[in-house]
Amino acid sequence: MAFQLPAGPARVRVAPSPTGDPHVGTAYVALFNKAVAVRTGGQFILRIEDTDRSRYVEGAERMIFEALRWLGLDYDEGPDVGGPCAPYRQSERTALYREAAERLLATGKAYRCFCTPERLAELRAAQRRDRRPPGYDGRCRALAAAEVERLLAAGTPWTVRLAVPRTGTTRFEDGLRGPIQFENSEIDDQVLLKSDGHPTYHLANVVDDHAMRITHVIRAEEWISSTPKHVLLYEAFGWPPPVFVHLPLLRNADRSKISKRKNPVSLLWYREQGFLPEALLNFLALMGHSMPDEREIFSLEEFYAEFDPGRLKTTGPVFDLAKLQWLNGEWIRRLPPQEFVRRVLAHHGEPYARRPELVARVAPLVQPRIRTLAEWPSYADTFFRGCSDYEAALLVPKPLDAAMARQLLEQAQQIAARAEPFAAAVLEQQAREAVAKLGCKVGPAFMVLRVAITGARVSPPLFESMEVLGREETLARLQAALAKLATAEATGTGS
Ligand code: GLU
């Protein structure tokens, strides 16, 4: 039932509005559009729909460019890259929309509406009171030509509305959902051009999709109810409509449309948290499409190669952050060591950038343990900032007592002083022997050392950490732990 990839090149687009941070839904829709372009040797276009100036946010557009590039969802045409259908920013195409509206007025497919905002507000209030569906009552549709002339001459403000047929149905074939139809009697005579001469979303969207020769409109399911209006517009203009495909919305855990109250939605947030583009794209692809072998981890290239409209999902996937974190950890582990270092440095900068060779030595200890790049400092900082500010009580894990902790630390000092070479395997073997001789369990014994060496109960592997720190620093940390223990005992703050 799903649409087929066309034999020739498809032209597809993503058309976000610059109203805030770049949205994860934009990346999701962009990904599937781009897949269609890649698979058909077509073009993927970015269009900025900035006609609603009241919601315009300065800088939002640039963040959309950046976020799409960060993800590797580069576009073939767009405001900042140009292209044969430029400009790609709706605010620069106003003349086109006015001409289009004029055409519809001339052919009687649209009409001027002179109703005041006050009258429209009263109409809405009355409809609400009588529990009737909202919508324009068509008063200006029947105005005589002479009356229109008189109002125009008097300088009365006007909008342009589409003259939606009063009877019949409007149908379209959704590329995923099959035939969808709406009763024309339920479709409002929507405003196409506002009184300030700016177009509404519907007019600008259709005029641009036509002018930009878009073959497939692939967008979120929330636009289904707008589609009959668009189909009517295509008919009114006498243009062939594109294929419409409505992707299922990303959802919160309670299945409501994804929203920032319940889920992070800003792509900037995902970048700041150290999600890898590879993981986020993999995750978004999984949300909307299944791979033939149900594979869960795959690259963008693999996704493009396997993309099949027949495998698009039709029910709204729940955006499961925990799953994304897991997937991100998997992707972090897949990075070649040098690449992992590069990403850490790019993400965190200072103080790490000053010591790249230490980053390279610490990286193998941390790479297997983190789920996001943001977690890097919690494991790595012990190597960069020292670890003196932990609680003395951590040095005495149950069931040990302070005397045993002290003995363990002293033994460790002796081992660290003599081990040759000063290497993880040597240190570990000798430490195990010493612990056994003391008649202590390995778990709590190593915990004492772990806290002394790293300052935390959760850390990179103990003996590898010692090796990276080196003999001198290891001895210094063991000494500091003993001192801390002694102070705590003297002041009664140890356990
Ligand atoms: N500007 C709309 C949006 O923000 C575009 C919807 C469409 O793709 O037609 O999602």
Side-chain angles (χ1 to χ4, degrees), residues 267-341:
L267 290 170
L268 305 180
W269 184 86
Y270 289 94
R271 187 171 63 179
E272 276 155 23
Q273 289 302 306
F275 286 93
L276 306 187
E278 292 93 328
L280 186 54
L281 289 172
N282 184 165
F283 177 72
L284 292 175
L286 267 182
M287 297 271 88
H289 180 271
S290 52
M291 293 294 258
D293 52 2
E294 299 299 321
R295 197 177 341 157
E296 289 213 297
I297 304 180
F298 46 83
S299 68
L300 191 56
E301 289 67 35
E302 288 174 85
F303 168 64
Y304 289 152
E306 295 291 355
F307 173 74
D308 171 358
R311 300 190 150 276
L312 284 168
K313 298 182 184 169
T314 48
T315 50
V318 170
F319 194 97
D320 179 356
L321 196 53
K323 172 130 193 197
L324 172 57
Q325 281 163 336
W326 166 79
L327 203 54
N328 204 60
E330 293 296 312
W331 271 102
I332 283 182
R333 280 178 263 309
R334 268 154 213 251
L335 293 176
Q338 282 184 350
E339 180 59 14
F340 175 65
V341 167

Side-chain angles (χ1 to χ4, degrees), residues 13 15-17 47 49 201 205 209 217-219 222-223 230:
R13 83 321 188 257
S17 297
R47 182 171 74 228
E49 300 210 327
Y201 156 71
N205 190 267
D209 282 341
V217 166
I218 305 169
R219 61 185 169 196
E222 62 190 315
W223 301 101
H230 299 176

Side-chain angles (χ1 to χ4, degrees), residues 421-435:
F422 192 82
V426 176
L427 293 163
E428 173 162 5
Q429 195 210 337
Q430 297 188 9
R432 283 187 187 277
E433 283 165 14
V435 168

